[in-house]
Amino acid sequence: MSGIDWLSVAALVVVLALFVGIYYLKNKVDFTILTLGTLVAGVIVGAIFSGHTTWITPIGKIYVSVLNALVTPLIIVAIISSITSLSNTAQLKGIGLRSIITLLSTTLLSIILALGLGLTFGIGRNSYLSLDGIDASTFQAKVTSFSEVLIGFFPRNVISDISEENTIPVILFALLIAVSYVLVANKTPEKVKPFKDFIEAFKEIIFKALDFIIGLTPYAVLSLIATSIGNGLSKSGIIWSLLVLLLVSFIAFIIDIWFINGVLISVFAKLNPVKFFKKIIPAQVIAFSTQSSAGTLPVATEILTDKIGVDGSVANVTTPLGTTIGMPGCAGIWPVLLAVYGINGLQLHYGLGNYLLLIVVALFVSLGTAGVPGTATITTASVLTVLGLPLEIIVLTIPISALADTGRTATNITGAIVSATIVGRQENKLDDTIFEQSGTVQSSKEAATA
């Protein structure tokens, strides 16, 4: 009995008691507030039981493991579901292909923006991350060259790629299957209808599982923050580094939403950006407040058709695709900033080739996004997995992630609307007469949400 660390036992008992409190509060307190509360509780527990949090560590580790298990199936089902929503090859080659290229292009710009800001501000520097006592050299060994990873992008054995978490080959395989489905469905839709039904059913199941895992976030935050603080992170400046990360993320959101998109609207859609942004404010506000790209979709689509003048054939394809492909906030800015945060915090030595790899990986992963809560967590996990960075970084940043999600969602929906407008112009399906109208009359959906 003398070998038992009673302080570790006491720490576990305290955490379990706090779990009971979280359980009773989860339906009475806003999720973001509850998560921030668990952050504070984790800091207190870690400080009190410094050096005695060994028994708490497995709780957070289990959460990270289960979250990681959902990454690959979610990416596969999101890609196949989004591409198979295109009803025929003409739509795939025309509006569909233009939409995908435009959505990925806007996301690429957000990735480059995030990387530039992250390196300029040096986010994560001097935070000296030492996750769960793991030495940074563990991850230094996982830094691979651009050429090595590029070769590994292409699928060889999809089963082994899934089991080994080779995300990029899985994405390419999913794209191959999705495009093949559309080609077959164009000629004999009845033969492949069961496959489409299966994908949609599987998507519902995966999304429900993701909802369940995301609902456990407060418990994981409490456990991992307590462990991290108990291992000495309280002395490393991590709290300050997280605040800098949050500030830089909002700087990136602002630049992307209004400056980059303003230039794109002016150059490629040939519209007045000031008038354009005035028209789409309702969708941005709803996205910011609800933090749901999919939930904002009806309002965004109506604004595109009734105020911007984009034909429904474009608005009803590009905008929904924008909630599953691209998403510059959740799949561009946030994963890249967290990757840079981890690289600097673990004091890894990344060269130009490694950062080019980060850009390519983030762009590929943006093909497998999903317009549901927790998307940023999944896309970030995918990017960090490919780069060999620890997923614990995600959990440490979840408290500020909940705040950043407002800006991320507004960035996502703005990118989708801008992309749809550009595609509308390219396809000659944009009515300038509608756009030039004042647009002061509220639509039915806007009135309902007011």
Side-chain angles (χ1 to χ4, degrees), residues 241-264:
S241 70
L242 289 176
L243 291 176
V244 172
L245 173 60
L246 182 62
L247 175 62
V248 173
S249 68
F250 271 96
I251 292 174
F253 298 146
I254 291 170
I255 293 175
D256 188 82
I257 289 175
W258 285 294
F259 291 93
I260 292 180
N261 284 320
V263 172
L264 293 176

Side-chain angles (χ1 to χ4, degrees), residues 115 119 140 142-147 339-340 343-344 347-360 387:
L115 182 59
L119 294 176
Q140 179 70 59
K142 294 185 179 181
V143 177
T144 55
S145 67
F146 178 82
S147 60
V340 174
I343 291 166
N344 286 336
Q347 303 177 70
L348 304 182
H349 302 291
Y350 264 45
L352 177 60
N354 297 118
Y355 285 116
L356 287 175
L357 173 63
L358 171 57
I359 293 173
V360 173
L387 295 177

Side-chain angles (χ1 to χ4, degrees), residues 222-348:
L222 173 58
S223 304
L224 283 160
I225 291 296
T227 300
S228 299
I229 297 298
N231 286 338
L233 283 181
S234 57
K235 302 175 184 178
S236 67
I238 188 174
I239 301 301
W240 171 251
S241 70
L242 289 176
L243 291 176
V244 172
L245 173 60
L246 182 62
L247 175 62
V248 173
S249 68
F250 271 96
I251 292 174
F253 298 146
I254 291 170
I255 293 175
D256 188 82
I257 289 175
W258 285 294
F259 291 93
I260 292 180
N261 284 320
V263 172
L264 293 176
I265 283 296
S266 177
V267 174
F268 295 101
K270 303 187 186 324
L271 297 176
N272 185 317
V274 175
K275 184 176 291 187
F276 175 85
F277 286 121
K278 284 182 179 179
K279 290 174 180 288
I280 70 170
I281 283 176
Q284 291 176 319
V285 171
I286 293 172
F288 186 90
S289 57
T290 63
Q291 299 169 40
S292 172
S293 298
T296 313
L297 190 58
V299 177
T301 304
E302 186 173 20
I303 288 174
L304 277 166
T305 55
D306 296 354
K307 290 189 174 184
I308 306 299
V310 177
D311 189 81
S313 62
V314 173
N316 292 316
V317 172
T318 307
T319 319
L321 279 176
T323 65
T324 54
I325 290 176
M327 300 184 75
C330 288
I333 293 172
W334 190 249
V336 170
L337 286 180
L338 259 64
V340 174
Y341 178 82
I343 291 166
N344 286 336
L346 293 168
Q347 303 177 70
L348 304 182

